Amino acid sequence: MKRPILIHPDPRLKKVCAPVPDLSDELRVLADDMLETMYDAPGIGLAAPQVGVLDRLIVLDCVKDEAEAPRPLIMFNPEVIAASDDESTYEEGCLSIPEQYAEVTRPAEVTVRWIDRNGNEQQEDFGGLWATCVQHEIDHLNGRLFIDYLKPLRRQMITRKMQKLKREKARA
Ligand SMILES: [Zn+2]
């Protein structure tokens, strides 16, 4: 089932999310719903607070080539346990900040540890778009948005645009 995506500014997008103590059917349904919502948007990543749930859960799939098999990843309690000194810059966007894009510089490679849908611990090295995406999504769990990396003026401009968009949506 698709879930509505919160649009910035929203206090729930600024909260530090709580670790998931135990997996439950309810959490698995939430993860599946988030993947459905993400693919439908379409997007390459989504964090639980973006659908109003303050749990440490993200989903992502950065396979861009349509000829390639999709690779949906569900990560409970994801943690960056190592990051490269090398950095890379990508133009980022966010489903909670529609149609706004900006360059963000982050470590080019990260090692992430998480609990998968079956409750098993996983660890993997990510590079390229995957590295950027997984860091962007984990940031959401700490109440941090990609626009928080921008200069205040640019961030305020984007926030004002989003406030206007929300007013228009509320009126429609
Ligand atoms: Zn985002």
Side-chain angles (χ1 to χ4, degrees):
M1 192 186 71
K2 268 197 326 169
R3 304 204 182 198
I5 298 174
L6 301 182
I7 303 297
H8 165 75
D10 187 296
R12 287 166 286 182
L13 294 172
K14 300 306 291 175
K15 293 277 198 302
V16 175
C17 297
V20 175
D22 281 302
L23 291 198
S24 60
D25 286 344
E26 197 186 333
L27 280 167
R28 288 191 183 90
V29 168
L30 170 64
D32 294 341
D33 284 355
M34 283 169 56
L35 274 174
E36 190 182 337
T37 305
M38 178 192 86
Y39 283 125
D40 180 75
I44 58 171
L46 190 67
Q50 292 181 276
V51 294
V53 179
L54 300 181
D55 285 335
R56 299 189 82 83
L57 162 62
I58 62 171
V59 299
L60 62 159
D61 183 350
C62 300
V63 174
K64 276 194 143 178
D65 188 347
E66 293 206 355
E68 237 179 286
R71 191 184 178 219
L73 283 181
I74 292 172
M75 297 182 175
F76 293 98
N77 300 335
E79 245 184 296
V80 173
I81 56 170
S84 64
D85 292 330
D86 273 8
E87 295 183 321
S88 64
T89 301
Y90 270 95
E91 186 165 76
E92 297 191 20
C94 181
L95 293 176
S96 293
I97 311 174
E99 282 163 47
Q100 302 298 318
Y101 303 91
E103 287 193 338
V104 177
T105 300
R106 302 178 185 270
E109 280 147 51
V110 287
T111 305
V112 180
R113 188 186 288 158
W114 72 94
I115 304 294
D116 71 14
R117 199 180 182 283
N118 300 317
N120 298 317
E121 191 174 289
Q122 302 284 347
Q123 185 177 313
E124 191 174 323
D125 298 333
F126 293 99
L129 183 59
W130 286 90
T132 288
C133 183
V134 76
Q135 292 176 79
H136 173 122
E137 299 312 328
I138 292 173
D139 269 356
H140 273 297
L141 305 182
N142 296 318
R144 184 171 249 264
L145 303 171
F146 83 91
I147 56 171
D148 293 328
Y149 291 90
L150 308 180
K151 293 203 170 68
L153 208 65
R154 180 87 196 277
R155 183 165 63 238
Q156 283 156 20
M157 247 174 59
I158 292 177
T159 298
R160 274 200 294 273
K161 275 188 195 162
M162 291 302 106
Q163 284 164 331
K164 187 163 170 262
L165 177 78
K166 287 177 83 167
R167 277 198 303 273
E168 284 166 2
K169 274 195 168 177
R171 240 182 265 134

